[in-house]
Amino acid sequence: MASSTVQQPATVKPNLNEFLQPLQVGIETLSDLSCRLSTSYTKLALESTEHFIPTPITRLPTGHETGRYLGVYVGLSYLRVAFIDLLGDKQVEGHARVRRTLEKAWPIEDHLRKDHSLDLFTWIGDCIAEVVADRLANPNEESLDQITTGISLCLPIKYQHLFRCCFLWLISYRQNTLDEAILMPTGKGFSLSSDLNLRQALLNGYERHTYSSHGDIEPMPAKRRRLFSLPKLKIAVMINDTTATLASLAYSIPSLPNTRVVMGLIVGAGCNATAPMKISDLHESKTQNIREKYPDAKETLISTEWTLSTAAAPFDELRIRNKWDHELDQHSKRPGFQPLEYMVGGGYTGELVRIICYDYFHRVLGIQRSMLPVTLIEPYSISTEFLSLVVASSLPDESLADKLSQKLQPPSESDWSWTPEYARDIRAIALAVHDRAASLVAAAVVGLLDCIKEVKLCKDVSKDASGVQKKMETKDTEQTGSGSPGWNSGPEELAVAFSGGVIQHYPHYKENVQRYIDRLILRAGPQAGGKSVFLREASDGGIIGTGVLAGTASGEIGEIKVTDGSPWPLLSPMRKDMSVKI
């Protein structure tokens, strides 16, 4: 803990709002931040080999894909496996477009995250086999030689060779084709080799359950014996969770007129975004394989990895990071690695609230360290989940004080206790931290939309950190979307598909992100075609999107004909000469 001078208890309580002033970011600063981020993103896309990593997906789902696919989602702390039924325009048993069956979830224990990768992938293979065996145990199910699967990751990877499976993982990666992926360096807590071939590791974990004619079969526990002789996996796609989230909403979006999905956004333990980008705006080395395989492609989906330090300069230029942010950063496992994630990710905002609470209660209010709850003193003792369920709840201050007295107990010898006033203080601190987080996510979203020319920001005169006026760089502001031929008349809605525990479940978080997006777009002025930007939830988009893209990659589109011969719609709006006949 950084050393500080402790004030003596004051007769008049210090002003908490003034104390929290470093967390407040005005709309002018946020607008400036969006512009700077847009410029930074443009530069990183064109020059960096670690950011704006292309996914070899140059088409989006049509909404007409059909079939059953196996989806696997490996999160930071849990694994989910399910069969995903794509229904197209049909409704089956009350399910519209998508139905999940035989879904199971398992927590990922620490030893699997940190020990040898072979143990992790063997365990994942066992879990996949368990779900497949459950399906085959149904006498009404037909026998299968192979199962088309989709794989999605939340960690950075790079693609290698095209394959057939749908799997979702919280790993960042680089990819040249959709079937193989190699890990990039990540701060997500998995001890995995950066040259690990994910496809082969996953298949090795599962294939010991498939039929073999050889006699040298390793002994298996009795509970696993029933899993033997399972069909093989046919891996169709390997994507990250933001791409899956975007694809999930894109599959359902045809039912919303004049709405187009332009981004996938995850705000959970971490934060990342995926968006379509012109291939010409990306570094050639990142798109060589895509250009070779899809010579007519104009755009591809990219994973921004926008929380990494090389994208964080604008936050320091505008002095948005404060002493509490720097303290959290300095004591993190990888100092300086992901500055934005340390300010907005659910894995860190609980700790940020704890740091600020301790600073306020101990240094400002003068409460002795020995009198305070140990949870306010020990790092990472307050989780974002606890803040969401308890502190940010609608409980009256008196009831919240009672809850805190149970959950964050002071030492038995302490004469300090939680009062309604102290409860109100920690609630105000948590609110300030998450309001700032929502505003920074909104600024990043709008900055990325400007970077890919979906919106136009007003970039005239701004001030740098020293207060000196300067002319900000003006970029090509040609916008796509509503001005394209064939677009329906009327204003266009740009949909940002979102998922993740924080943005979905933290009280008022999503509404605050939307509010800041609205203010930033309003400040930028009228958009071409009356464009507006809306957050649209893609609940369970991680696992659903893997099934969607497995079907898309397999080309199993029911009774649909695209007249230009392409199996998928372009990422850009459908052209006039691309009529679709059902």
Side-chain angles (χ1 to χ4, degrees):
M1 186 69 62
S3 61
S4 59
T5 303
V6 179
Q7 298 179 3
Q8 294 301 314
T11 305
V12 179
K13 186 179 178 183
N15 189 309
L16 180 58
N17 289 333
E18 291 181 5
F19 174 77
L20 295 176
Q21 188 67 33
L23 289 171
Q24 297 178 12
V25 185
I27 191 64
E28 289 189 7
T29 301
L30 286 175
S31 181
D32 194 352
L33 176 63
S34 289
C35 292
R36 292 173 187 245
L37 288 174
S38 175
T39 300
S40 176
Y41 296 157
T42 301
K43 181 179 176 67
L44 289 169
L46 194 58
E47 299 177 3
S48 172
T49 57
E50 304 301 322
H51 293 272
F52 289 76
I53 306 302
T55 299
I57 296 176
T58 59
R59 313 273 178 164
L60 286 182
T62 63
H64 301 292
E65 292 82 1
T66 58
R68 172 175 283 189
Y69 306 93
L70 183 65
V72 184
Y73 176 34
V74 186
L76 288 177
S77 57
Y78 61 93
L79 167 70
R80 290 169 62 190
V81 182
F83 280 95
I84 309 297
D85 295 336
L86 303 183
L87 308 176
D89 294 323
K90 300 176 182 177
Q91 282 206 0
V92 178
E93 299 174 357
H95 297 275
R97 293 194 169 274
V98 176
R99 176 178 59 187
R100 301 201 307 273
T101 57
L102 299 175
E103 183 170 3
K104 288 189 175 183
W106 300 262
I108 302 176
E109 298 178 3
D110 282 346
H111 75 90
L112 292 172
R113 293 159 54 90
K114 298 175 181 178
D115 292 348
H116 197 279
S117 59
L118 178 61
D119 295 335
L120 173 64
F121 289 105
T122 298
W123 173 76
I124 291 174
D126 289 344
C127 295
I128 294 173
E130 189 172 319
V131 172
V132 173
D134 285 347
R135 175 183 174 179
L136 298 182
N138 185 342
N140 296 323
E141 290 283 355
E142 58 180 318
S143 60
L144 301 169
D145 293 327
Q146 64 182 9
I147 296 176
T148 303
T149 310
I151 302 177
S152 172
L153 317 160
C154 115
L155 310 175
I157 65 175
K158 63 179 179 181
Y159 285 105
Q160 296 283 308
H161 306 292
L162 191 61
F163 69 98
R164 301 285 181 185
C165 186
C166 188
F167 202 112
L168 178 58
W169 187 308
L170 298 178
I171 298 183
S172 303
Y173 52 88
R174 296 170 61 185
Q175 291 179 281
N176 294 325
T177 61
L178 276 171
D179 69 321
E180 292 200 18
I182 293 178
L183 287 169
M184 293 174 62
T186 175
K188 303 294 185 181
F190 283 88
S191 299
L192 299 175
S193 170
S194 61
D195 61 354
L196 179 68
N197 185 315
L198 294 177
R199 173 183 183 269
Q200 197 55 53
L202 291 164
L203 289 179
N204 288 345
Y206 173 83
E207 285 181 349
R208 68 198 193 105
H209 297 283
T210 60
Y211 175 76
S212 172
S213 59
H214 302 292
D216 54 346
I217 300 173
E218 296 182 5
M220 277 192 184
K223 67 177 181 179
R224 291 294 181 195
R225 215 164 283 151
R226 74 181 184 94
L227 306 181
F228 193 61
S229 302
L230 298 182
K232 292 186 176 182
L233 294 183
K234 179 184 177 184
I235 301 180
V237 292
M238 210 169 199
I239 52 179
N240 72 8
D241 51 349
T242 52
T243 302
T245 297
L246 186 153
S248 174
L249 187 63
Y251 184 74
S252 63
I253 215 70
S255 59
L256 300 173
N258 281 16
T259 299
R260 183 163 53 89
V261 183
V262 294
M263 188 185 302
L265 172 68
I266 296 289
V267 187
C271 181
N272 193 24
T274 287
M277 197 164 192
K278 291 186 187 316
I279 291 176
S280 59
D281 290 338
L282 296 164
H283 192 284
E284 285 190 2
S285 68
K286 296 189 289 191
T287 60
Q288 179 180 349
N289 285 45
I290 296 174
R291 286 182 279 110
E292 290 175 356
K293 188 169 184 63
Y294 308 106
D296 296 329
K298 303 299 182 186
E299 293 182 313
T300 185
L301 291 181
I302 54 92
S303 177
T304 61
E305 303 305 330
W306 63 10
T307 65
L308 297 180
S309 58
T310 42
F315 297 99
D316 287 329
E317 292 167 0
L318 295 172
R319 298 179 181 175
I320 290 172
R321 291 208 298 164
N322 54 52
K323 65 175 184 177
W324 302 310
D325 297 313
H326 289 295
E327 180 177 340
L328 187 152
D329 191 336
Q330 290 166 8
H331 292 90
S332 67
K333 292 181 179 178
R334 299 191 67 175
F337 184 60
Q338 293 176 296
L340 176 58
E341 189 149 311
Y342 299 155
M343 291 187 284
V344 305
Y348 301 97
T349 50
E351 171 64 2
L352 189 56
V353 168
R354 185 202 65 79
I355 289 172
I356 298 171
C357 282
Y358 177 80
D359 189 27
Y360 183 67
F361 288 159
H362 177 55
R363 183 179 63 82
V364 177
L365 298 185
I367 302 169
Q368 293 182 24
R369 176 187 173 96
S370 60
M371 298 292 103
L372 291 171
V374 67
T375 44
L376 292 183
I377 298 171
E378 292 187 355
Y380 293 94
S381 295
I382 295 180
S383 69
T384 303
E385 182 181 17
F386 172 77
L387 295 176
S388 174
L389 296 175
V390 179
V391 177
S393 69
S394 57
L395 288 173
D397 294 337
E398 293 78 7
S399 300
L400 177 57
D402 291 339
K403 281 279 188 183
L404 294 173
S405 297
Q406 300 169 20
K407 303 293 185 180
L408 308 182
Q409 295 181 2
S412 57
E413 65 275 11
S414 174
D415 58 3
W416 182 88
S417 62
W418 286 103
T419 65
E421 187 175 21
Y422 289 136
R424 193 158 52 247
D425 290 341
I426 190 174
R427 175 175 276 164
I429 291 170
L431 176 63
V433 165
H434 287 91
D435 184 75
R436 184 190 66 159
S439 73
L440 297 183
V441 170
V445 166
V446 174
L448 181 56
L449 290 177
D450 180 71
C451 170
I452 62 176
K453 301 179 178 64
E454 289 290 359
V455 301
K456 176 182 176 181
L457 297 180
C458 295
K459 298 183 179 180
D460 39 35
V461 177
S462 183
K463 292 183 179 181
D464 62 18
S466 63
V468 179
Q469 285 193 342
K470 64 177 184 178
K471 185 75 174 179
M472 295 194 69
E473 178 183 0
T474 300
K475 302 190 308 177
D476 175 12
T477 54
E478 175 189 358
Q479 295 183 64
T480 60
S482 57
S484 302
W487 187 256
N488 298 332
S489 60
E492 180 181 8
E493 176 187 309
L494 304 180
V496 176
F498 72 86
S499 185
V502 172
I503 194 169
Q504 286 184 265
H505 303 301
Y506 199 97
H508 311 299
Y509 194 99
K510 176 258 180 182
E511 291 80 7
N512 286 335
V513 176
Q514 183 68 66
R515 175 169 56 88
Y516 281 112
I517 288 175
D518 293 343
R519 293 180 68 188
L520 288 168
I521 296 296
L522 182 64
R523 191 175 189 278
Q527 301 295 314
K531 285 182 180 179
S532 57
V533 180
F534 284 95
L535 297 172
R536 289 201 174 273
E537 184 172 355
S539 185
D540 298 317
I543 193 165
I544 292 173
T546 59
V548 168
L549 285 174
T552 305
S554 299
E556 298 175 28
I557 305 177
E559 300 179 7
I560 184 170
K561 178 181 179 183
V562 182
T563 58
D564 73 343
S566 301
W568 303 352
L570 296 174
L571 287 173
S572 54
M574 188 169 290
R575 302 194 308 267
K576 235 177 193 177
D577 60 340
M578 287 182 62
S579 60
V580 177
K581 301 176 182 178
I582 304 298

